[in-house]
């Protein structure tokens, strides 16, 4: 169980891989994929880590759990596969991006280009049963992804943490290193986007911070 991701995350998370709770997740998940429809595809469960190596993380955008509709989840928070209708939250993220930086990503919701530039698109829960949101809550994934946040918190190099909504904001207690920069607001969901998400300018704020620390800015255009 030592080569799950295929980059430096494997070494960083080696201790977690060996823990009892993680072994239980693996056993449970293997069974679930055989007997039920689970998202994302099994080889995409740790895709966010595979695309954004620990050493390359500049920004973290934290989601809750994967989309539970057919063909949507691709292992990255808020992202959907190409040619899939944009979910409401992603539509609002794109609205804010357009207002903030004038970038129009149209109907392509695949955020892989962000991940390739050092944006870790991490869901707190990494799997879900079809049409059953939060069905894998309290399975142990939260322990694993909290450990990821703690490992990132230990980095000397500053990271931008973008936390949308109360669930994501609950992770602020894990981000204690003063080198890091936290941007938080309400969630982009239609239920809360008008309570501080719209107008929060997370994309320009991120790039301003990266520029200040002499890091390459993120190109948010898909």
């Amino acid at each position: 169980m030592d080569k799950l991701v295929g980059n430096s995350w494997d070494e960083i998370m080696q201790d977690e891989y060996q823990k009892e709770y993680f072994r239980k997740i693996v056993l449970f998940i293997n069974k679930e994929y055989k007997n039920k429809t689970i998202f994302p595809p099994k080889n995409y469960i740790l895709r966010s880590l595979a695309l954004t190596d620990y050493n390359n993380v500049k920004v973290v955008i934290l989601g809750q759990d994967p989309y539970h509709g057919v063909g949507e989840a691709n292992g990255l928070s808020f992202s959907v596969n190409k040619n899939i209708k944009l979910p409401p939250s992603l539509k609002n993220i794109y609205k804010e991006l357009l207002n903030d930086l004038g970038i129009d990503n149209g109907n392509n919701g695949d955020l892989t280009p962000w991940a390739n530039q050092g944006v870790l698109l991490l869901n707190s829960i990494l799997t879900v049963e079809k049409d059953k949101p939060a069905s894998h809550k309290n399975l142990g994934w939260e322990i694993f992804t909290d450990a990821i946040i703690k490992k990132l918190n230990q980095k000397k190099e500053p990271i931008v943490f973008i936390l949308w909504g109360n669930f994501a904001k609950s992770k602020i207690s894990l981000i204690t290193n003063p080198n890091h920069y936290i941007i938080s607001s309400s969630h982009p969901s239609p239920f809360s986007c008008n309570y501080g998400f719209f107008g929060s300018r997370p994309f320009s704020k991120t790039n301003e911070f990266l520029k200040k620390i002499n890091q390459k800015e993120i190109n948010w255009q898909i």
Side-chain angles (χ1 to χ4, degrees), residues 138-207:
N138 300 326
L139 183 64
W141 282 132
E142 297 94 329
I143 303 169
F144 182 69
T145 53
D146 279 1
I148 289 170
I149 296 168
K150 288 173 189 170
K151 294 288 186 187
L152 290 168
N153 181 57
Q154 289 167 10
K155 282 186 80 160
K156 275 190 307 190
E157 301 81 11
I159 295 171
V160 181
F161 287 87
I162 299 177
L163 307 176
W164 291 325
N166 291 333
F167 177 81
K169 286 185 208 169
S170 73
K171 306 299 179 181
I172 286 176
S173 61
L174 305 177
I175 308 161
T176 57
N177 184 336
N179 290 348
H180 303 318
Y181 178 43
I182 296 171
I183 298 170
S184 68
S185 73
S186 66
H187 197 275
S189 146
F191 302 106
S192 55
C193 57
N194 292 313
Y195 298 97
F197 175 74
F198 285 140
S200 61
R201 300 179 55 245
F203 307 101
S204 60
K205 283 177 183 171
T206 294
N207 279 352

Side-chain angles (χ1 to χ4, degrees), residues 89-158:
S89 289
L90 186 53
K91 250 188 203 165
N92 287 334
I93 289 167
Y94 277 5
K95 267 187 205 168
E96 179 61 19
L97 178 58
L98 184 61
N99 290 333
D100 187 6
L101 290 173
I103 291 171
D104 185 353
N105 279 334
N107 293 316
N108 180 5
D110 183 2
L111 304 180
T112 302
W114 295 4
N116 288 334
Q117 296 175 76
V119 181
L120 181 65
L121 295 157
L122 181 68
N123 276 318
S124 186
I125 300 158
L126 296 180
T127 52
V128 70
E129 188 178 338
K130 177 181 180 284
D131 298 332
K132 293 186 179 176
S135 47
H136 288 177
K137 192 181 176 189
N138 300 326
L139 183 64
W141 282 132
E142 297 94 329
I143 303 169
F144 182 69
T145 53
D146 279 1
I148 289 170
I149 296 168
K150 288 173 189 170
K151 294 288 186 187
L152 290 168
N153 181 57
Q154 289 167 10
K155 282 186 80 160
K156 275 190 307 190
E157 301 81 11

Side-chain angles (χ1 to χ4, degrees), residues 62-82:
L62 194 66
Q64 193 156 358
D65 71 336
Y67 296 121
H68 51 85
V70 173
E72 293 179 330
N74 64 7
L76 306 176
S77 62
F78 296 103
S79 175
V80 287
N81 288 309
K82 274 180 192 163

